[in-house]
Amino acid sequence: DTAVSQTPKYLVTQMGNDKSIKCEQNLGHDTMYWYKQDSKKFLKIMFSYNNKELIINETVPNRFSPKSPDKAHLNLHINSLELGDSAVYFCASSPGTSLRGETQYFGPGTRLLVL
Amino acid sequence: AQKVTQAQTEISVVEKEDVTLDCVYETRDTTYYLFWYKQPPSGELVFLIRRNSFDEQNEISGRYSWNFQKSTSSFNFTITASQVVDSAVYFCALPTAFSSNTGKLIFGQGTTLQVKP
């Protein structure tokens, strides 16, 4: 059984398009995250939701909009795609948030290429 | 500010060699966890270990071991008798500050390990 799943796995699209990436977790976790991994493998958090409430919103262009319909799902919608948005986007989940750090479990990643 | 430094960008070893991946961190918290993740060539991120700052005993799991030293703010990862399947990018991570209860992790830059046959 897949714990954290993302769709699609690959996404190739033209500049200016709008696209969405979906994420689902079946671990019963309360907290979900979106990370961006650039071409140099640097991982940076973008957003986090805890029980459908946005708790982390890093400095991300407002073309990126997360949506959490329930605590098992966290989707990422990107408007007006730009070349610089090309990256791997990872979804992750954790049991909750704690001051010392909860283990985050990652999805397989979505490889986005903007042409 | 919280910071994680993995100074080794790339390491190349021959199969069966032992290899240590370094992780140095900065934190103003007195209690915290540290993490290691593995990213094989297939691209997924695999959780390896979460370590409590209270426990400085070495952790061993098969060929993997972790050495946590609070005095030097280091959490190093050793692979004994490396195998080709160990080839991956390895990330060390640290939660953000105590006052920020968001679950946010700060990742190091990653160390690419190549194990040659």
Side-chain angles (χ1 to χ4, degrees):
Chain A
D1 285 344
T2 304
V4 183
S5 59
Q6 293 178 231
T7 53
K9 192 167 182 182
Y10 299 96
L11 190 50
V12 181
T13 188
Q14 298 289 330
M15 223 167 36
N17 284 349
D18 302 339
K19 289 293 178 186
S20 291
I21 307 171
K22 295 186 175 183
C23 178
E24 177 180 2
Q25 54 95 3
N26 62 8
L27 297 167
H29 288 170
D30 285 343
T31 311
M32 296 184 72
Y33 311 81
W34 278 111
Y35 285 85
K36 180 180 180 181
Q37 185 175 45
D38 63 24
S39 58
K40 294 184 179 177
K41 299 287 188 181
F42 183 63
L43 268 165
K44 192 170 189 304
I45 193 160
M46 300 171 68
F47 302 103
S48 174
Y49 273 75
N50 187 54
N51 274 321
K52 302 195 295 174
E53 179 186 346
L54 182 65
I55 57 171
I56 296 176
N57 186 352
E58 294 290 289
T59 309
V60 176
N62 57 15
R63 298 182 294 104
F64 290 79
S65 53
K67 279 193 174 51
S68 181
D70 55 62
K71 71 176 191 178
H73 296 85
L74 180 62
N75 303 323
L76 183 65
H77 188 74
I78 316 170
N79 288 328
S80 303
L81 277 155
E82 300 177 357
L83 296 176
D85 297 332
S86 296
V88 181
Y89 293 84
F90 285 99
C91 177
S93 73
S94 66
T97 62
S98 76
L99 297 174
R100 300 194 205 101
E102 298 269 358
T103 300
Q104 294 181 18
Y105 296 90
F106 285 79
T110 295
R111 284 141 193 84
L112 172 64
L113 178 60
V114 182
L115 302 174
Chain B
Q2 312 290 86
K3 189 177 178 182
V4 177
T5 301
Q6 296 179 253
Q8 304 151 306
T9 306
E10 292 184 18
I11 301 176
S12 182
V13 299
V14 177
E15 212 170 14
K16 297 184 185 174
E17 283 185 19
D18 298 347
V19 58
T20 295
L21 310 182
D22 297 335
C23 173
V24 174
Y25 61 92
E26 295 175 27
T27 179
R28 58 176 183 268
D29 296 335
T30 54
T31 59
Y32 47 89
Y33 283 101
L34 289 158
F35 299 81
W36 276 94
Y37 284 85
K38 174 182 179 180
Q39 187 173 34
S42 50
E44 69 273 24
L45 278 159
V46 179
F47 165 71
L48 293 178
I49 189 170
R50 181 178 78 153
R51 195 80 177 139
N52 190 325
S53 60
F54 277 126
D55 188 355
E56 291 197 57
Q57 283 192 325
N58 284 350
E59 176 91 11
I60 298 174
S61 176
R63 296 183 297 107
Y64 294 173
S65 63
W66 290 268
N67 179 254
F68 174 39
Q69 293 198 346
K70 212 168 179 178
S71 60
T72 56
S73 297
S74 66
F75 185 41
N76 297 336
F77 173 31
T78 298
I79 302 175
T80 304
S82 60
Q83 299 176 2
V84 173
V85 292
D86 296 326
S87 297
V89 182
Y90 291 87
F91 294 95
C92 182
L94 170 74
T96 49
F98 187 82
S99 60
S100 169
N101 186 16
T102 60
K104 177 180 174 180
L105 288 181
I106 304 293
F107 282 83
Q109 305 93 316
T111 297
T112 299
L113 173 65
Q114 184 182 31
V115 181
K116 298 178 181 174

